[in-house]
Amino acid sequence: MNIIVLGAPGAGKGTQASIIAQKLELKKFSTGDMLRAEVASGSELGNKVQNIMNSGELVSDEIMIGVIVEQISSLDDSKGFILDGFPRTIAQAVNLDKILEEKECKVDCVLAFDVDFDVLVERLAGRIYCKDCGTTFHEVFSPPKQGGICDNCGSVNLVRRDDDKREVVTARLNKYLEMTEPLINYYQDKKNLIIVNGDNDVAKVTQEILKKIELINA
Ligand code: AMP
């Protein structure tokens, strides 16, 4: 099964993508994580995209399609994949369909996270993550059990993303509305869209997703 998670920054799509990938044994691709790794490594691509990411803008379709082609062509005969953060524009979605068609597969379902915008701003402003294993926390809603220490790997490297600063958050949300939200209609027309209520807590959202996926598989 091949799944796309779609939603505004802070909607919880990254968290749910990791959980669902584990439960359904899917390969997870997160374009945001990939780009952050490129920036951290100081690669040519990383240097090219760093300022774009820090300002809340989108990296060009050309670069992103190149990144995703490479990832998808590396797929073996595993059970499928879950894409977090791609596509983010209609051009990316159209290209993804083409790439998958060449591999004789398709997007089976798109999980669109519906979350109130005020909630998103609050979530992003308090978000911290572990630089070593990627686990995400929230300073107020889901802090690490022991202050400053990652529950998952014990690292003390808990940091805030550069693009989670308040002024950048607004730019990212506006970019989402302008460039990414139209994908909801794109996938609705293809009849593989599932709307998920992302306002609930993590476990409830996972339950809702698994139930809805079961229904389309039935
Ligand atoms: P994310 O972790 O998904 O919020 O992505 C962080 C940043 O990476 C975004 O704000 C964009 O600058 C860039 N990015 C990630 N995925 C894409 C994409 N599919 N298209 C364009 N830019 C992207």
Side-chain angles (χ1 to χ4, degrees):
M1 169 161 241
N2 299 323
I3 302 175
I4 287 174
V5 289
L6 200 63
K13 56 188 188 325
T15 303
Q16 293 297 334
S18 297
I19 299 171
I20 301 296
Q22 210 177 11
K23 288 204 186 282
L24 302 184
E25 294 178 48
L26 304 174
K27 180 123 175 80
K28 186 189 109 166
F29 298 121
S30 158
T31 46
D33 287 350
M34 284 174 208
L35 294 177
R36 279 184 286 280
E38 293 288 340
V39 171
S41 75
S43 70
E44 197 184 325
L45 174 60
N47 291 336
K48 225 187 241 179
V49 301
Q50 185 168 26
N51 288 339
I52 302 172
M53 292 175 75
N54 286 347
S55 64
E57 291 294 317
L58 293 184
V59 174
S60 75
D61 286 337
E62 195 191 345
I63 291 180
M64 293 315 301
I65 290 162
V67 166
I68 221 68
V69 165
E70 202 179 305
Q71 295 298 324
I72 288 185
S73 53
S74 73
L75 271 177
D76 49 22
D77 55 355
S78 65
K79 284 189 180 169
F81 60 80
I82 183 158
L83 270 182
D84 163 25
F86 188 99
R88 260 181 157 96
T89 65
I90 297 281
Q92 291 180 14
V94 170
N95 273 278
L96 177 64
D97 285 343
K98 273 193 212 147
I99 297 160
L100 293 179
E101 215 176 288
E102 278 162 24
K103 279 186 81 85
E104 294 181 359
C105 59
K106 62 179 175 47
V107 173
D108 296 299
C109 92
V110 179
L111 304 170
F113 288 68
D114 185 24
V115 181
D116 198 81
F117 259 53
D118 293 341
V119 175
L120 293 175
V121 173
E122 238 182 288
R123 279 189 189 171
L124 291 168
R127 183 161 77 171
I128 45 174
Y129 79 103
C130 173
K131 235 181 161 174
D132 293 314
C133 74
T135 303
T136 304
F137 302 92
H138 189 282
E139 286 165 335
V140 181
F141 307 136
S142 56
K145 289 191 185 87
Q146 269 183 291
I149 301 173
C150 176
D151 294 355
N152 186 44
C153 73
S155 164
V156 289
N157 226 347
L158 300 186
V159 293
R160 191 182 303 280
R161 277 171 49 169
D162 285 336
D163 59 354
D164 277 347
K165 290 182 196 129
R166 216 165 259 274
E167 60 281 12
V168 185
V169 163
T170 311
R172 287 165 66 208
L173 291 174
N174 287 336
K175 221 7 109 187
Y176 169 78
L177 287 178
E178 182 194 349
M179 303 302 290
T180 310
E181 204 182 50
L183 287 175
I184 293 184
N185 280 339
Y186 178 85
Y187 287 114
Q188 197 144 35
D189 289 347
K190 290 181 174 283
K191 304 196 182 349
N192 50 8
L193 187 78
I194 293 177
I195 305 282
V196 176
N197 177 3
D199 278 332
N200 284 328
D201 67 44
V202 173
K204 267 202 190 138
V205 177
T206 306
Q207 248 179 1
E208 183 189 341
I209 291 172
L210 291 175
K211 225 187 250 168
K212 288 184 169 169
I213 289 180
E214 222 171 86
L215 282 178
I216 62 163
N217 273 339

